[in-house]
Short mmCIF file of all heavy atoms in Angstrom, two decimals:
data_model
loop_
_atom_site.label_atom_id
_atom_site.label_comp_id
_atom_site.label_asym_id
_atom_site.label_seq_id
_atom_site.Cartn_x
_atom_site.Cartn_y
_atom_site.Cartn_z
N MET H 1 0.82 -1.20 0.00
CA MET H 1 0.00 0.00 0.00
C MET H 1 0.86 1.26 0.00
O MET H 1 0.67 2.15 -0.79
CB MET H 1 -0.93 -0.05 1.22
CG MET H 1 -1.75 1.18 1.41
SD MET H 1 -3.07 1.27 0.22
CE MET H 1 -3.92 2.69 0.80
N ARG H 2 1.82 1.33 0.95
CA ARG H 2 2.67 2.53 1.01
C ARG H 2 3.49 2.70 -0.25
O ARG H 2 3.68 3.82 -0.71
CB ARG H 2 3.60 2.44 2.21
CG ARG H 2 2.90 2.66 3.50
CD ARG H 2 3.88 2.66 4.62
NE ARG H 2 3.37 1.80 5.66
CZ ARG H 2 4.03 1.44 6.71
NH1 ARG H 2 5.24 1.86 6.90
NH2 ARG H 2 3.48 0.67 7.61
N ARG H 3 3.99 1.61 -0.78
CA ARG H 3 4.80 1.69 -2.00
C ARG H 3 3.96 2.23 -3.15
O ARG H 3 4.44 3.03 -3.95
CB ARG H 3 5.36 0.32 -2.35
CG ARG H 3 6.32 0.38 -3.51
CD ARG H 3 6.99 -0.92 -3.71
NE ARG H 3 7.85 -1.10 -2.54
CZ ARG H 3 8.87 -1.93 -2.50
NH1 ARG H 3 9.17 -2.65 -3.54
NH2 ARG H 3 9.59 -2.04 -1.43
N ALA H 4 2.71 1.83 -3.24
CA ALA H 4 1.82 2.32 -4.30
C ALA H 4 1.58 3.82 -4.16
O ALA H 4 1.59 4.55 -5.16
CB ALA H 4 0.50 1.57 -4.28
N VAL H 5 1.40 4.29 -2.94
CA VAL H 5 1.20 5.72 -2.70
C VAL H 5 2.46 6.49 -3.09
O VAL H 5 2.40 7.52 -3.76
CB VAL H 5 0.82 5.99 -1.23
CG1 VAL H 5 0.83 7.48 -0.92
CG2 VAL H 5 -0.54 5.39 -0.91
N TYR H 6 3.61 5.98 -2.67
CA TYR H 6 4.90 6.61 -2.99
C TYR H 6 5.08 6.71 -4.51
O TYR H 6 5.43 7.78 -5.03
CB TYR H 6 6.02 5.81 -2.34
CG TYR H 6 7.41 6.33 -2.59
CD1 TYR H 6 7.85 7.50 -1.98
CD2 TYR H 6 8.29 5.65 -3.41
CE1 TYR H 6 9.13 7.97 -2.18
CE2 TYR H 6 9.58 6.10 -3.62
CZ TYR H 6 9.99 7.27 -3.00
OH TYR H 6 11.26 7.72 -3.22
N GLN H 7 4.83 5.62 -5.22
CA GLN H 7 4.99 5.62 -6.67
C GLN H 7 4.01 6.59 -7.34
O GLN H 7 4.36 7.27 -8.31
CB GLN H 7 4.81 4.21 -7.24
CG GLN H 7 5.91 3.26 -6.86
CD GLN H 7 7.28 3.75 -7.28
OE1 GLN H 7 7.47 4.31 -8.34
NE2 GLN H 7 8.25 3.55 -6.42
N LYS H 8 2.80 6.66 -6.83
CA LYS H 8 1.81 7.58 -7.39
C LYS H 8 2.25 9.03 -7.21
O LYS H 8 2.14 9.84 -8.12
CB LYS H 8 0.45 7.35 -6.73
CG LYS H 8 -0.66 8.16 -7.34
CD LYS H 8 -2.00 7.82 -6.74
CE LYS H 8 -3.09 8.62 -7.41
NZ LYS H 8 -4.41 8.28 -6.90
N ILE H 9 2.78 9.35 -6.04
CA ILE H 9 3.28 10.69 -5.78
C ILE H 9 4.40 11.05 -6.75
O ILE H 9 4.43 12.15 -7.30
CB ILE H 9 3.76 10.83 -4.31
CG1 ILE H 9 2.56 10.87 -3.36
CG2 ILE H 9 4.63 12.07 -4.13
CD1 ILE H 9 2.94 10.78 -1.90
N LEU H 10 5.31 10.13 -6.95
CA LEU H 10 6.47 10.41 -7.81
C LEU H 10 6.08 10.63 -9.27
O LEU H 10 6.80 11.32 -10.00
CB LEU H 10 7.51 9.30 -7.70
CG LEU H 10 8.16 9.15 -6.33
CD1 LEU H 10 9.20 8.05 -6.37
CD2 LEU H 10 8.77 10.46 -5.86
N THR H 11 4.96 10.07 -9.70
CA THR H 11 4.56 10.24 -11.10
C THR H 11 3.75 11.51 -11.33
O THR H 11 3.56 11.91 -12.47
CB THR H 11 3.73 9.03 -11.59
OG1 THR H 11 2.57 8.89 -10.78
CG2 THR H 11 4.55 7.75 -11.56
N ARG H 12 3.31 12.16 -10.25
CA ARG H 12 2.54 13.40 -10.40
C ARG H 12 3.44 14.55 -10.83
O ARG H 12 4.60 14.63 -10.44
CB ARG H 12 1.86 13.76 -9.07
CG ARG H 12 0.76 12.79 -8.72
CD ARG H 12 0.14 13.06 -7.39
NE ARG H 12 -0.35 14.43 -7.26
CZ ARG H 12 -0.61 15.01 -6.11
NH1 ARG H 12 -0.43 14.35 -4.98
NH2 ARG H 12 -1.06 16.23 -6.06
N SER H 13 2.89 15.45 -11.60
CA SER H 13 3.61 16.65 -12.01
C SER H 13 3.34 17.75 -10.97
O SER H 13 2.23 18.25 -10.87
CB SER H 13 3.14 17.10 -13.39
OG SER H 13 3.79 18.29 -13.75
N LEU H 14 4.36 18.07 -10.21
CA LEU H 14 4.25 19.07 -9.15
C LEU H 14 5.37 20.09 -9.35
O LEU H 14 6.40 20.06 -8.68
CB LEU H 14 4.37 18.39 -7.78
CG LEU H 14 3.38 17.26 -7.52
CD1 LEU H 14 3.80 16.44 -6.32
CD2 LEU H 14 1.99 17.83 -7.33
N LYS H 15 5.18 20.99 -10.30
CA LYS H 15 6.27 21.87 -10.75
C LYS H 15 6.92 22.67 -9.64
O LYS H 15 8.14 22.78 -9.59
CB LYS H 15 5.76 22.80 -11.85
CG LYS H 15 5.44 22.05 -13.11
CD LYS H 15 4.89 22.96 -14.18
CE LYS H 15 4.52 22.09 -15.38
NZ LYS H 15 3.80 22.81 -16.38
N ASP H 16 6.14 23.24 -8.72
CA ASP H 16 6.72 24.03 -7.63
C ASP H 16 7.59 23.17 -6.72
O ASP H 16 8.70 23.54 -6.36
CB ASP H 16 5.63 24.71 -6.80
CG ASP H 16 4.89 25.78 -7.57
OD1 ASP H 16 5.42 26.24 -8.61
OD2 ASP H 16 3.78 26.16 -7.15
N ILE H 17 7.07 22.02 -6.36
CA ILE H 17 7.82 21.11 -5.49
C ILE H 17 9.03 20.56 -6.23
O ILE H 17 10.13 20.51 -5.68
CB ILE H 17 6.91 19.97 -4.96
CG1 ILE H 17 5.85 20.55 -4.03
CG2 ILE H 17 7.72 18.90 -4.25
CD1 ILE H 17 4.79 19.57 -3.60
N ASP H 18 8.85 20.15 -7.47
CA ASP H 18 9.96 19.60 -8.26
C ASP H 18 11.12 20.59 -8.35
O ASP H 18 12.28 20.22 -8.18
CB ASP H 18 9.50 19.22 -9.66
CG ASP H 18 8.63 17.97 -9.70
OD1 ASP H 18 8.41 17.36 -8.63
OD2 ASP H 18 8.16 17.62 -10.79
N ALA H 19 10.81 21.84 -8.61
CA ALA H 19 11.85 22.85 -8.79
C ALA H 19 12.71 23.01 -7.55
O ALA H 19 13.95 23.07 -7.64
CB ALA H 19 11.22 24.18 -9.19
N ILE H 20 12.10 23.07 -6.39
CA ILE H 20 12.86 23.27 -5.16
C ILE H 20 13.61 21.99 -4.77
O ILE H 20 14.73 22.04 -4.26
CB ILE H 20 11.97 23.81 -4.02
CG1 ILE H 20 12.83 24.44 -2.93
CG2 ILE H 20 11.06 22.76 -3.46
CD1 ILE H 20 12.05 25.28 -1.96
N CYS H 21 13.02 20.83 -5.04
CA CYS H 21 13.68 19.56 -4.73
C CYS H 21 14.92 19.35 -5.59
O CYS H 21 15.93 18.81 -5.12
CB CYS H 21 12.71 18.40 -4.88
SG CYS H 21 11.40 18.40 -3.65
N VAL H 22 14.86 19.75 -6.83
CA VAL H 22 16.02 19.64 -7.73
C VAL H 22 17.18 20.44 -7.16
O VAL H 22 18.33 19.97 -7.14
CB VAL H 22 15.67 20.10 -9.15
CG1 VAL H 22 16.93 20.35 -9.98
CG2 VAL H 22 14.79 19.09 -9.84
N LYS H 23 16.90 21.65 -6.68
CA LYS H 23 17.97 22.49 -6.12
C LYS H 23 18.66 21.79 -4.95
O LYS H 23 19.88 21.83 -4.84
CB LYS H 23 17.39 23.82 -5.65
CG LYS H 23 16.99 24.73 -6.77
CD LYS H 23 16.40 26.01 -6.22
CE LYS H 23 15.87 26.89 -7.33
NZ LYS H 23 15.24 28.11 -6.79
N ASP H 24 17.90 21.19 -4.07
CA ASP H 24 18.50 20.49 -2.92
C ASP H 24 19.22 19.22 -3.35
O ASP H 24 20.32 18.94 -2.88
CB ASP H 24 17.43 20.13 -1.90
CG ASP H 24 17.29 21.18 -0.82
OD1 ASP H 24 18.01 22.19 -0.87
OD2 ASP H 24 16.44 20.99 0.07
N ALA H 25 18.62 18.46 -4.23
CA ALA H 25 19.20 17.18 -4.63
C ALA H 25 20.57 17.34 -5.28
O ALA H 25 21.49 16.58 -4.98
CB ALA H 25 18.25 16.43 -5.56
N VAL H 26 20.73 18.33 -6.14
CA VAL H 26 22.02 18.47 -6.85
C VAL H 26 23.11 19.06 -5.96
O VAL H 26 24.28 18.99 -6.32
CB VAL H 26 21.88 19.29 -8.15
CG1 VAL H 26 20.96 18.59 -9.13
CG2 VAL H 26 21.43 20.70 -7.88
N ARG H 27 22.75 19.59 -4.80
CA ARG H 27 23.75 20.13 -3.87
C ARG H 27 24.24 19.09 -2.87
O ARG H 27 25.14 19.37 -2.08
CB ARG H 27 23.17 21.31 -3.09
CG ARG H 27 22.97 22.51 -3.93
CD ARG H 27 22.66 23.68 -3.06
NE ARG H 27 21.33 23.51 -2.46
CZ ARG H 27 20.49 24.51 -2.28
NH1 ARG H 27 20.82 25.73 -2.63
NH2 ARG H 27 19.33 24.30 -1.74
N THR H 28 23.70 17.90 -2.91
CA THR H 28 24.02 16.88 -1.90
C THR H 28 25.38 16.25 -2.16
O THR H 28 25.62 15.69 -3.22
CB THR H 28 22.93 15.78 -1.91
OG1 THR H 28 21.68 16.39 -1.66
CG2 THR H 28 23.21 14.72 -0.86
N CYS H 29 26.28 16.36 -1.23
CA CYS H 29 27.55 15.63 -1.15
C CYS H 29 28.22 15.30 -2.48
O CYS H 29 28.36 14.14 -2.85
CB CYS H 29 27.32 14.36 -0.34
SG CYS H 29 28.83 13.61 0.27
N LYS H 30 28.66 16.31 -3.21
CA LYS H 30 29.25 16.14 -4.54
C LYS H 30 30.53 15.30 -4.56
O LYS H 30 30.91 14.81 -5.61
CB LYS H 30 29.55 17.50 -5.16
CG LYS H 30 28.32 18.30 -5.43
CD LYS H 30 27.91 18.07 -6.83
CE LYS H 30 26.75 18.98 -7.16
NZ LYS H 30 26.01 18.48 -8.25
N ILE H 31 31.20 15.12 -3.42
CA ILE H 31 32.44 14.35 -3.43
C ILE H 31 32.19 12.84 -3.51
O ILE H 31 33.09 12.08 -3.83
CB ILE H 31 33.35 14.68 -2.23
CG1 ILE H 31 32.66 14.37 -0.92
CG2 ILE H 31 33.81 16.12 -2.28
CD1 ILE H 31 33.56 14.49 0.30
N LYS H 32 30.98 12.42 -3.24
CA LYS H 32 30.62 11.00 -3.33
C LYS H 32 30.08 10.70 -4.73
O LYS H 32 29.29 11.47 -5.29
CB LYS H 32 29.55 10.63 -2.30
CG LYS H 32 29.97 10.85 -0.87
CD LYS H 32 30.97 9.80 -0.47
CE LYS H 32 31.28 9.92 1.01
NZ LYS H 32 32.26 8.98 1.44
N SER H 33 30.47 9.59 -5.31
CA SER H 33 30.08 9.26 -6.69
C SER H 33 28.57 9.10 -6.85
O SER H 33 28.04 9.36 -7.93
CB SER H 33 30.79 8.00 -7.17
OG SER H 33 30.44 6.89 -6.37
N LEU H 34 27.87 8.71 -5.81
CA LEU H 34 26.41 8.56 -5.91
C LEU H 34 25.69 9.89 -6.13
O LEU H 34 24.54 9.92 -6.54
CB LEU H 34 25.84 7.94 -4.63
CG LEU H 34 25.98 6.44 -4.48
CD1 LEU H 34 25.47 6.01 -3.11
CD2 LEU H 34 25.23 5.72 -5.56
N PHE H 35 26.37 11.00 -5.85
CA PHE H 35 25.74 12.32 -5.91
C PHE H 35 26.44 13.29 -6.85
O PHE H 35 26.17 14.48 -6.81
CB PHE H 35 25.71 12.94 -4.50
CG PHE H 35 25.03 12.08 -3.48
CD1 PHE H 35 25.77 11.31 -2.59
CD2 PHE H 35 23.65 12.02 -3.41
CE1 PHE H 35 25.15 10.53 -1.64
CE2 PHE H 35 23.01 11.23 -2.47
CZ PHE H 35 23.77 10.48 -1.58
N ARG H 36 27.34 12.84 -7.70
CA ARG H 36 28.16 13.74 -8.53
C ARG H 36 27.35 14.61 -9.47
O ARG H 36 27.71 15.75 -9.74
CB ARG H 36 29.19 12.95 -9.31
CG ARG H 36 30.27 12.44 -8.43
CD ARG H 36 31.65 12.79 -8.94
NE ARG H 36 32.61 12.53 -7.89
CZ ARG H 36 33.31 11.41 -7.79
NH1 ARG H 36 33.17 10.46 -8.67
NH2 ARG H 36 34.15 11.25 -6.79
N ASP H 37 26.29 14.08 -10.04
CA ASP H 37 25.45 14.90 -10.92
C ASP H 37 24.00 14.44 -10.83
O ASP H 37 23.68 13.50 -10.13
CB ASP H 37 25.95 14.90 -12.36
CG ASP H 37 26.02 13.51 -12.97
OD1 ASP H 37 25.03 12.76 -12.88
OD2 ASP H 37 27.06 13.16 -13.55
N SER H 38 23.12 15.11 -11.55
CA SER H 38 21.69 14.86 -11.41
C SER H 38 21.23 13.49 -11.90
O SER H 38 20.14 13.05 -11.55
CB SER H 38 20.89 15.95 -12.13
OG SER H 38 21.19 15.94 -13.50
N ASP H 39 22.05 12.81 -12.66
CA ASP H 39 21.67 11.48 -13.17
C ASP H 39 22.11 10.33 -12.27
O ASP H 39 21.81 9.19 -12.56
CB ASP H 39 22.26 11.27 -14.57
CG ASP H 39 21.66 12.21 -15.59
OD1 ASP H 39 20.51 12.66 -15.38
OD2 ASP H 39 22.32 12.51 -16.58
N GLN H 40 22.83 10.65 -11.21
CA GLN H 40 23.34 9.59 -10.32
C GLN H 40 22.23 9.06 -9.41
O GLN H 40 21.30 9.79 -9.06
CB GLN H 40 24.49 10.12 -9.48
CG GLN H 40 25.71 10.47 -10.28
CD GLN H 40 26.26 9.27 -11.03
OE1 GLN H 40 26.32 8.16 -10.51
NE2 GLN H 40 26.65 9.48 -12.27
N PRO H 41 22.30 7.79 -9.02
CA PRO H 41 21.25 7.18 -8.20
C PRO H 41 21.00 7.90 -6.87
O PRO H 41 19.85 8.07 -6.46
CB PRO H 41 21.75 5.76 -7.94
CG PRO H 41 22.80 5.51 -8.96
CD PRO H 41 23.35 6.83 -9.36
N GLY H 42 22.03 8.33 -6.20
CA GLY H 42 21.86 9.00 -4.92
C GLY H 42 21.11 10.31 -5.06
O GLY H 42 20.22 10.63 -4.26
N THR H 43 21.45 11.07 -6.08
CA THR H 43 20.78 12.35 -6.34
C THR H 43 19.32 12.11 -6.65
O THR H 43 18.44 12.83 -6.17
CB THR H 43 21.47 13.10 -7.50
OG1 THR H 43 22.85 13.23 -7.20
CG2 THR H 43 20.87 14.47 -7.71
N ARG H 44 19.04 11.10 -7.43
CA ARG H 44 17.66 10.77 -7.78
C ARG H 44 16.86 10.36 -6.54
O ARG H 44 15.70 10.72 -6.37
CB ARG H 44 17.66 9.64 -8.82
CG ARG H 44 16.38 9.44 -9.51
CD ARG H 44 16.21 10.51 -10.58
NE ARG H 44 14.78 10.70 -10.74
CZ ARG H 44 14.21 11.84 -11.03
NH1 ARG H 44 14.92 12.90 -11.24
NH2 ARG H 44 12.93 11.94 -11.15
N MET H 45 17.49 9.59 -5.65
CA MET H 45 16.82 9.16 -4.42
C MET H 45 16.49 10.36 -3.53
O MET H 45 15.39 10.45 -2.98
CB MET H 45 17.68 8.17 -3.65
CG MET H 45 17.70 6.80 -4.24
SD MET H 45 18.62 5.69 -3.17
CE MET H 45 19.89 5.15 -4.29
N VAL H 46 17.45 11.29 -3.38
CA VAL H 46 17.21 12.49 -2.57
C VAL H 46 16.04 13.28 -3.16
O VAL H 46 15.14 13.72 -2.44
CB VAL H 46 18.48 13.36 -2.47
CG1 VAL H 46 18.17 14.72 -1.86
CG2 VAL H 46 19.55 12.65 -1.67
N PHE H 47 16.04 13.46 -4.48
CA PHE H 47 14.96 14.17 -5.14
C PHE H 47 13.61 13.51 -4.86
O PHE H 47 12.64 14.16 -4.50
CB PHE H 47 15.20 14.26 -6.65
CG PHE H 47 14.01 14.80 -7.39
CD1 PHE H 47 13.80 16.16 -7.48
CD2 PHE H 47 13.09 13.94 -7.98
CE1 PHE H 47 12.69 16.67 -8.14
CE2 PHE H 47 11.98 14.43 -8.65
CZ PHE H 47 11.79 15.80 -8.73
N ASN H 48 13.56 12.19 -5.03
CA ASN H 48 12.30 11.46 -4.83
C ASN H 48 11.77 11.59 -3.40
O ASN H 48 10.57 11.78 -3.20
CB ASN H 48 12.48 9.98 -5.18
CG ASN H 48 12.61 9.75 -6.67
OD1 ASN H 48 12.33 10.63 -7.48
ND2 ASN H 48 13.07 8.58 -7.04
N ILE H 49 12.65 11.51 -2.44
CA ILE H 49 12.22 11.63 -1.04
C ILE H 49 11.70 13.03 -0.75
O ILE H 49 10.65 13.21 -0.14
CB ILE H 49 13.37 11.25 -0.09
CG1 ILE H 49 13.66 9.76 -0.19
CG2 ILE H 49 13.04 11.65 1.35
CD1 ILE H 49 14.95 9.32 0.46
N CYS H 50 12.43 14.04 -1.22
CA CYS H 50 11.99 15.43 -1.00
C CYS H 50 10.64 15.68 -1.67
O CYS H 50 9.75 16.31 -1.08
CB CYS H 50 13.02 16.41 -1.54
SG CYS H 50 14.58 16.40 -0.65
N LYS H 51 10.47 15.18 -2.88
CA LYS H 51 9.21 15.36 -3.60
C LYS H 51 8.07 14.65 -2.87
O LYS H 51 6.97 15.21 -2.73
CB LYS H 51 9.32 14.83 -5.03
CG LYS H 51 8.03 14.97 -5.81
CD LYS H 51 8.19 14.52 -7.24
CE LYS H 51 6.87 14.66 -7.98
NZ LYS H 51 7.03 14.39 -9.41
N ALA H 52 8.32 13.44 -2.40
CA ALA H 52 7.28 12.69 -1.70
C ALA H 52 6.83 13.41 -0.43
O ALA H 52 5.64 13.49 -0.14
CB ALA H 52 7.77 11.28 -1.37
N VAL H 53 7.78 13.96 0.31
CA VAL H 53 7.44 14.68 1.54
C VAL H 53 6.61 15.92 1.19
O VAL H 53 5.57 16.18 1.80
CB VAL H 53 8.72 15.09 2.32
CG1 VAL H 53 8.40 16.08 3.41
CG2 VAL H 53 9.39 13.86 2.89
N GLY H 54 7.05 16.68 0.20
CA GLY H 54 6.33 17.88 -0.20
C GLY H 54 4.93 17.60 -0.71
O GLY H 54 3.99 18.35 -0.43
N ALA H 55 4.77 16.51 -1.43
CA ALA H 55 3.46 16.17 -1.99
C ALA H 55 2.54 15.54 -0.95
O ALA H 55 1.33 15.77 -0.96
CB ALA H 55 3.63 15.21 -3.16
N PHE H 56 3.10 14.76 -0.04
CA PHE H 56 2.29 14.06 0.96
C PHE H 56 1.76 15.02 2.02
O PHE H 56 0.71 14.81 2.60
CB PHE H 56 3.09 12.94 1.60
CG PHE H 56 2.25 11.98 2.39
CD1 PHE H 56 1.47 11.03 1.74
CD2 PHE H 56 2.23 12.02 3.76
CE1 PHE H 56 0.68 10.15 2.46
CE2 PHE H 56 1.44 11.14 4.50
CZ PHE H 56 0.68 10.20 3.83
N PHE H 57 2.51 16.08 2.27
CA PHE H 57 2.12 17.10 3.24
C PHE H 57 1.91 18.44 2.52
O PHE H 57 2.72 19.35 2.65
CB PHE H 57 3.17 17.26 4.34
CG PHE H 57 3.41 16.01 5.12
CD1 PHE H 57 4.54 15.24 4.89
CD2 PHE H 57 2.52 15.60 6.09
CE1 PHE H 57 4.78 14.08 5.61
CE2 PHE H 57 2.74 14.43 6.83
CZ PHE H 57 3.87 13.68 6.58
N PRO H 58 0.85 18.56 1.73
CA PRO H 58 0.68 19.73 0.87
C PRO H 58 0.56 21.06 1.63
O PRO H 58 0.99 22.09 1.11
CB PRO H 58 -0.60 19.44 0.10
CG PRO H 58 -1.31 18.39 0.85
CD PRO H 58 -0.27 17.62 1.61
N ARG H 59 0.04 21.04 2.83
CA ARG H 59 -0.07 22.31 3.59
C ARG H 59 1.30 22.80 4.03
O ARG H 59 1.56 24.00 4.06
CB ARG H 59 -0.98 22.14 4.79
CG ARG H 59 -2.44 21.96 4.35
CD ARG H 59 -3.38 21.97 5.49
NE ARG H 59 -3.42 23.34 6.02
CZ ARG H 59 -4.07 23.68 7.10
NH1 ARG H 59 -4.75 22.77 7.76
NH2 ARG H 59 -4.07 24.92 7.53
N ALA H 60 2.19 21.88 4.37
CA ALA H 60 3.54 22.25 4.76
C ALA H 60 4.44 22.36 3.53
O ALA H 60 5.30 23.22 3.44
CB ALA H 60 4.12 21.23 5.72
N GLY H 61 4.22 21.46 2.57
CA GLY H 61 5.04 21.44 1.37
C GLY H 61 6.46 21.01 1.68
O GLY H 61 6.74 20.45 2.74
N TYR H 62 7.35 21.26 0.78
CA TYR H 62 8.76 20.97 1.00
C TYR H 62 9.48 22.30 1.02
O TYR H 62 9.38 23.07 0.08
CB TYR H 62 9.34 20.07 -0.09
CG TYR H 62 10.82 19.87 0.09
CD1 TYR H 62 11.29 19.02 1.07
CD2 TYR H 62 11.72 20.59 -0.66
CE1 TYR H 62 12.65 18.88 1.29
CE2 TYR H 62 13.08 20.45 -0.45
CZ TYR H 62 13.53 19.59 0.52
OH TYR H 62 14.89 19.46 0.74
N THR H 63 10.20 22.58 2.08
CA THR H 63 10.93 23.84 2.17
C THR H 63 12.41 23.58 2.29
O THR H 63 12.83 22.64 2.97
CB THR H 63 10.46 24.68 3.38
OG1 THR H 63 10.64 23.91 4.55
CG2 THR H 63 9.01 25.06 3.24
N GLN H 64 13.18 24.38 1.62
CA GLN H 64 14.63 24.26 1.68
C GLN H 64 15.16 24.86 2.96
O GLN H 64 14.68 25.90 3.41
CB GLN H 64 15.27 25.03 0.53
CG GLN H 64 15.44 24.25 -0.71
CD GLN H 64 16.07 25.11 -1.78
OE1 GLN H 64 15.66 26.23 -1.99
NE2 GLN H 64 17.05 24.58 -2.43
N GLY H 65 16.18 24.25 3.49
CA GLY H 65 16.88 24.82 4.63
C GLY H 65 16.01 24.94 5.86
O GLY H 65 14.97 24.31 6.00
N SER H 66 16.44 25.76 6.77
CA SER H 66 15.69 25.96 8.01
C SER H 66 15.00 27.30 7.97
O SER H 66 15.39 28.20 7.25
CB SER H 66 16.60 25.84 9.22
OG SER H 66 17.76 26.60 9.02
N PRO H 67 13.95 27.45 8.77
CA PRO H 67 13.20 28.72 8.76
C PRO H 67 14.07 29.90 9.17
O PRO H 67 14.95 29.76 10.02
CB PRO H 67 12.09 28.50 9.79
CG PRO H 67 12.20 27.09 10.24
CD PRO H 67 13.45 26.49 9.71
N GLN H 68 13.82 31.01 8.58
CA GLN H 68 14.54 32.24 8.89
C GLN H 68 13.88 32.90 10.09
O GLN H 68 12.67 32.91 10.22
CB GLN H 68 14.50 33.20 7.71
CG GLN H 68 15.17 32.64 6.48
CD GLN H 68 16.66 32.49 6.67
OE1 GLN H 68 17.29 33.34 7.27
NE2 GLN H 68 17.21 31.41 6.17
N GLU H 69 14.68 33.47 10.94
CA GLU H 69 14.13 34.22 12.08
C GLU H 69 13.68 35.59 11.60
O GLU H 69 14.30 36.19 10.73
CB GLU H 69 15.17 34.36 13.17
CG GLU H 69 15.48 33.05 13.85
CD GLU H 69 16.43 33.22 15.01
OE1 GLU H 69 16.41 34.30 15.62
OE2 GLU H 69 17.17 32.29 15.29
N ALA H 70 12.62 36.09 12.18
CA ALA H 70 12.10 37.41 11.79
C ALA H 70 12.91 38.52 12.40
O ALA H 70 13.55 38.42 13.36
CB ALA H 70 10.66 37.53 12.23
#
């Protein structure tokens, strides 16, 4: 059941969430071969997890970094 929900989320077109997740995914640990560029498995996994979180919690969405203090 959970795997089906996860796969469904990943196939949805969520342009706002996708754009911010791409930025985070490509910045992840470039010295490791799994994350060297956007086509590497590690980078793809980070993107998928970020997208799933943002899509599953639409009110919170996916936000980069930590909240800024006012």
Side-chain angles (χ1 to χ4, degrees):
M1 175 75 174
R2 287 184 228 172
R3 186 172 293 200
V5 171
Y6 179 72
Q7 291 303 321
K8 186 175 182 177
I9 287 171
L10 295 182
T11 59
R12 291 176 55 198
S13 177
L14 304 166
K15 292 178 183 170
D16 293 341
I17 293 172
D18 288 357
I20 199 166
C21 292
V22 165
K23 289 179 185 178
D24 266 0
V26 298
R27 289 191 291 218
T28 303
C29 197
K30 294 266 186 202
I31 61 172
K32 299 287 186 182
S33 62
L34 281 175
F35 304 101
R36 288 232 167 96
D37 59 49
S38 62
D39 294 334
Q40 294 300 319
T43 306
R44 195 78 208 147
M45 285 185 239
V46 169
F47 171 83
N48 288 346
I49 291 167
C50 293
K51 179 177 179 173
V53 168
F56 194 76
F57 300 103
R59 291 188 70 186
Y62 175 76
T63 58
Q64 271 180 314
S66 48
Q68 298 292 321
E69 290 185 29

